[in-house]
Amino acid sequence: MFDQKAKSDYALLGKTNRIIEGTKIHGNIESPVDMRIDGEVFGNISCEGKIVLGHNSKIQGDVVCKNIDVEGKFEGKLDVAELLTIRKTATIKGDVFASKLAVEPGAVFEASCEMRKKQ
């Protein structure tokens, strides 16, 4: 009678994965919901929602997501379907693909950047 996928999506509404400061992950992460990372990740991240990389975060690897707000350090390939926001405390090195880009003065952005139309 009801679509199981719709029920599953509703159950995830408002939920966020969190990797706290001091946590180190070596490996890949896949998430169907938003994420906040304040720790360190050495691997690839795939997220269907928004990612917030906190001030003390450190990411080395490839990230694919809908939106991302970077306050910490990122090195690798960043593929953002919609908006990439780079805060003044952020450092980004690598390759960036995004539909929209917002950079605060003071951010370190040492990356090749390709702007894409939203798919």
Side-chain angles (χ1 to χ4, degrees), residues 73-118:
K73 295 181 179 166
F74 175 85
E75 186 172 342
K77 179 180 160 190
L78 186 53
D79 193 341
V80 184
E82 294 180 8
L83 175 63
L84 163 59
T85 304
I86 305 170
R87 302 293 180 192
K88 64 183 177 183
T89 56
T91 300
I92 295 182
K93 296 180 181 181
D95 299 313
V96 172
F97 303 89
S99 294
K100 298 177 189 173
L101 176 64
V103 182
E104 290 183 352
V108 176
F109 188 66
E110 298 175 357
S112 65
C113 184
E114 181 179 318
M115 301 303 292
R116 298 181 178 165
K117 289 185 180 181
K118 185 178 172 185

Side-chain angles (χ1 to χ4, degrees), residues 33-47:
V33 296
D34 296 347
M35 297 182 67
R36 178 172 178 94
I37 301 173
D38 291 300
E40 299 179 24
V41 176
F42 303 93
N44 300 328
I45 302 170
S46 177
C47 179

Side-chain angles (χ1 to χ4, degrees), residues 17-31 35-46 53 56-63 75:
N17 282 312
R18 179 129 191 212
I19 298 170
I20 63 170
E21 190 173 337
T23 302
K24 293 182 183 181
I25 296 177
H26 294 268
N28 298 331
I29 299 172
E30 293 181 27
S31 176
M35 297 182 67
R36 178 172 178 94
I37 301 173
D38 291 300
E40 299 179 24
V41 176
F42 303 93
N44 300 328
I45 302 170
S46 177
L53 300 180
N56 294 314
S57 67
K58 181 178 180 182
I59 311 298
Q60 288 184 342
D62 297 344
V63 172
E75 186 172 342

Side-chain angles (χ1 to χ4, degrees), residues 48-75:
E48 295 177 27
K50 180 179 181 176
I51 298 175
V52 175
L53 300 180
H55 179 72
N56 294 314
S57 67
K58 181 178 180 182
I59 311 298
Q60 288 184 342
D62 297 344
V63 172
V64 177
C65 61
K66 185 174 181 181
N67 295 294
I68 190 166
D69 192 345
V70 181
E71 299 174 11
K73 295 181 179 166
F74 175 85
E75 186 172 342

